[in-house]
Amino acid sequence: TLLNALTGAGILAEDKLFATLDPTARKFVLPSGQNAILVDTVGFVSRLPHKLVEAFKSTLKQAKYADIVLNVCDISSEDRDNQLEITRGVLDEIGVDKDNIITVYNKCDKEHQPFLMENGVRVSAKSGFGLETLLEKIDEKLSDRMEQLDILLPYSQTGLVNTIRENGVVHSEEYTADGIAVKGIVDKKFAYLYKDYEI
């Protein structure tokens, strides 16, 4: 439901075990204009048979390569504290950096008791409440890996504008007599390409 709400996808969303068996990926745009890919993976189930636990873990191990992990918790569940503890334990076990985790307390429209949140975002994927805040938090975390650009590219280097589009965001582009004046953001791993062209 959260993936559908954030990306506009029409993926099957049911409140039952194993509704999501295969990871599903969808592209979406953050408030800053950055493109991101959201992957919905299998949920966590406690007390599974050992062979199934190992199969789940092998699928979930891909999470440690994500820039951000959204740990989605049903805030209306009476067992939410235990569910959070199990999820955090598994994420820790597979090597996910805790600084890359945002806990998403979903179904806040069904919450009946006050709940003290730790470093998370309260949302209702169904009603849309809190989704803007969640997107801003994702944007903020991802911006740590981006670098601001204010450059003047010679016309012989026009291909570098495409590199910004593919790995960041072009905020403005102006063609001048001396070259292309570009402002935007780019993934820090590509920033070295633009050092000679800074204004």
Side-chain angles (χ1 to χ4, degrees), residues 2-119:
L2 184 59
L3 178 127
N4 288 341
L6 293 176
T7 68
I11 310 299
L12 172 72
E14 293 183 282
D15 189 11
K16 68 178 187 181
L17 291 178
F18 310 116
T20 303
L21 286 174
D22 296 315
T24 303
R26 289 291 180 272
K27 186 176 176 181
F28 69 114
V29 181
L30 292 163
S32 68
Q34 276 190 86
N35 289 312
I37 296 175
L38 187 65
V39 180
D40 183 21
T41 187
V42 293
F44 290 71
V45 182
S46 58
R47 296 183 296 279
L48 277 176
H50 184 70
K51 285 183 180 176
L52 269 180
V53 169
E54 292 311 308
F56 269 56
K57 280 187 184 168
S58 67
T59 303
L60 290 168
K61 275 183 183 169
Q62 300 305 313
K64 73 178 176 184
Y65 302 111
D67 293 308
I68 296 172
V69 171
L70 301 179
N71 175 12
V72 183
C73 167
D74 178 350
I75 199 171
S76 68
S77 170
E78 292 176 8
D79 200 27
R80 67 181 170 218
D81 295 331
N82 188 41
Q83 291 168 353
L84 278 170
E85 191 179 322
I86 290 168
T87 306
R88 287 175 182 145
V90 173
L91 291 173
D92 187 50
E93 194 178 316
I94 61 176
V96 174
D97 182 345
K98 66 180 178 189
D99 291 335
N100 293 342
I101 299 172
I102 298 173
T103 303
V104 181
Y105 298 99
N106 191 28
K107 299 188 183 180
C108 69
D109 52 314
K110 291 185 173 183
E111 183 191 6
H112 302 298
Q113 300 170 350
F115 175 60
L116 182 62
M117 293 189 325
E118 285 177 32
N119 186 26

Side-chain angles (χ1 to χ4, degrees), residues 110-152:
K110 291 185 173 183
E111 183 191 6
H112 302 298
Q113 300 170 350
F115 175 60
L116 182 62
M117 293 189 325
E118 285 177 32
N119 186 26
V121 180
R122 193 183 297 251
V123 305
S124 168
K126 192 174 179 180
S127 74
F129 172 82
L131 295 183
E132 213 170 286
T133 304
L134 176 59
L135 287 172
E136 286 166 7
K137 191 148 182 118
I138 294 169
D139 226 346
E140 183 184 309
K141 273 200 176 285
L142 287 179
S143 70
D144 293 345
R145 65 181 189 132
M146 305 302 280
E147 187 155 318
Q148 293 285 334
L149 295 177
D150 188 359
I151 55 175
L152 181 64

